[in-house]
Amino acid sequence: MSFQGYNRLTVLLSTKLVTKELHIIQENYLRTLDRIAAAAKASGRSPEMIRLVVISKAQSVEVIKIAIQAGIKLFGENYPEEAVEKMETLGFPVDLEWHMVGHVQSRKVDLVAKHFQLLHSLDSLKLARRLDRSCGQEGKKLPVLLEFNIGGEASKNGWLANQEKKWPDLLDELVNLRDMPNLSVKGLMCMPPPADLAEISRSYFIKTRKLQDFLRTQLPDLQWTELSMGTSADYDIAVEEGATLIRVGTAILGTRTN
Ligand SMILES: *Cc1c(COP(=O)(O)O)cnc(C)c1O
C-alpha cells in the first residue's frame, strides 16, 4: 500500500548505506506510518487524509540528515531560530517541508513568514496581525492553524476553549482573521494536558473536533478542515478522532538531545 508517497519496499530499497541509527529511525518511521494507517482503517478513514509531521525540535542536524535518508520530508520545529539554523546547515533543500508548531514570539515573526510552509500554533490576534504584515512584505500567503487551549491549562498558549458554553465569545476575535489577506486559515491545533494514559487524551480530541464543527457553522468563510492533534503518546487515538496532521517526535527520532 502506498502511503505518503512511499511503501515499505521502496523506502528500504532506496537506502544504500544502512547504519544502525538509520535502521532504527527508518523502522520507527515505518512503524508509525503503519499504525496511522491501521488506526485510520479501523475508524473508516482513508490514511491518505493524514499527514505525519516529524517533530525535530532539539534534535541535531545529524539526526535530521539520517531522518532525510530514512525518507522523511516533513519536519516540525518549535523555535524559529533553531529551525532556520538547521535549514541553513542543510542548504535549504527544496524537497523538504517545515512546519512551525511552537509559540512564536513577535520578533521571530519574519523568520516564520519566510521559512515555514504551515504554522500550527497561531495563538493570538496580535501574532496574526504581525504575521499578516510580515507575509505581505514577503509576498507570501501563509497557511495557519489556530491553537486552542482545550484543557484550560494556565501554562498553555492558545485561545482558551475548555468551556464549551464560552465558545461563542471566541468569535469576536476570530472574525478578524477574515480581514488578513496574507494568512490562510486551514484548521485547528490542540495539545491536551499531559497524562499517564493515552486514552485520557481522547475526550480532548473529541472536544476539538466539536469545536471544529462549531467554527465551521459560525465562521463558514474560513476553512476549518485541518485538525493537528496527537503526539508520540497518543497519535493513534488522535487519528481515530479525526486528526489530519499528527506531530510525532520521540517515537521516531528518539530522545531529544539538545
Ligand atoms: C514536542 C512537540 C511534539 C512532539 O512530541 P513527542 O512526544 O516527541 O512526540 C508535538 N507537538 C508539539 C507542539 C510539541 O512541542
Side-chain angles (χ1 to χ4, degrees):
M1 186 202 62
S2 137
F3 177 44
Q4 222 169 316
Y6 301 105
N7 61 47
R8 183 170 284 268
L9 198 64
T10 36
V11 169
L12 291 175
L13 288 178
S14 68
T15 310
K16 289 174 192 78
L17 188 73
V18 180
T19 62
K20 180 159 157 270
E21 290 81 1
L22 174 54
H23 180 74
I24 292 170
I25 288 179
Q26 195 160 61
E27 276 305 314
N28 289 344
Y29 179 49
L30 293 171
R31 187 182 345 99
T32 308
L33 291 177
D34 284 346
R35 277 179 57 182
I36 293 169
K41 285 220 184 88
S43 49
R45 305 183 61 206
S46 160
E48 273 73 35
M49 303 296 289
I50 300 149
R51 297 188 77 200
L52 169 59
V53 185
V54 177
I55 304 299
S56 50
K57 68 174 178 209
Q59 298 283 3
S60 66
V61 174
E62 283 63 44
V63 169
I64 296 177
K65 280 182 182 164
I66 296 168
I68 294 166
Q69 266 187 286
I72 295 167
K73 288 185 163 62
L74 171 53
F75 293 95
E77 288 275 344
N78 262 44
Y79 302 99
E81 232 157 32
E82 176 192 328
V84 174
E85 265 171 41
K86 290 173 187 176
M87 293 175 198
E88 212 164 8
T89 310
L90 293 166
F92 295 107
V94 290
D95 57 339
L96 298 187
E97 190 176 329
W98 298 89
H99 291 185
M100 173 52 54
V101 303
H103 174 66
V104 178
Q105 295 172 295
S106 303
R107 59 204 161 83
K108 302 292 159 63
V109 157
D110 292 345
L111 287 177
V112 174
K114 187 163 183 182
H115 293 288
F116 289 86
Q117 279 79 52
L118 176 67
L119 171 65
H120 289 229
S121 44
L122 184 67
D123 55 13
S124 74
L125 207 53
K126 189 177 138 205
L127 173 61
R129 292 207 166 100
R130 286 178 188 233
L131 205 54
D132 181 52
R133 206 178 315 134
S134 182
C135 287
Q137 284 158 5
E138 196 61 41
K140 176 177 170 181
K141 194 167 171 116
L142 182 70
V144 297
L145 310 179
L146 274 52
E147 180 172 357
F148 290 96
N149 183 350
I150 205 78
E153 295 162 278
S155 60
K156 288 258 167 76
N157 295 304
W159 278 276
L160 195 60
N162 55 323
Q163 291 189 52
E164 205 177 319
K165 65 174 193 301
K166 292 194 176 165
W167 287 354
D169 299 348
L170 294 168
L171 300 172
D172 276 354
E173 269 199 39
L174 300 188
V175 75
N176 290 291
L177 293 164
R178 294 192 301 203
D179 307 323
M180 301 192 194
N182 308 303
L183 299 184
S184 168
V185 174
K186 298 288 184 193
L188 303 76
M189 184 270 233
C190 79
M191 184 91 176
D196 295 334
L197 258 183
E199 248 331 294
I200 293 173
S201 298
R202 190 183 297 277
S203 64
Y204 296 100
F205 296 147
I206 292 173
K207 204 161 156 186
T208 306
R209 176 89 188 257
K210 205 168 168 193
L211 177 58
Q212 177 188 38
D213 290 338
F214 172 79
L215 293 170
R216 254 194 194 127
T217 51
Q218 298 298 317
L219 296 170
D221 39 358
L222 290 173
Q223 207 185 310
W224 300 103
T225 38
E226 302 289 344
L227 274 181
S228 168
M229 52 190 201
T231 65
S232 294
D234 52 20
Y235 66 85
D236 350 39
I237 295 170
V239 168
E240 286 169 19
E241 298 306 337
T244 62
L245 287 154
I246 63 165
R247 312 179 307 267
V248 179
T250 48
I252 295 173
L253 301 181
T255 319
R256 286 181 273 273
T257 46
N258 293 355

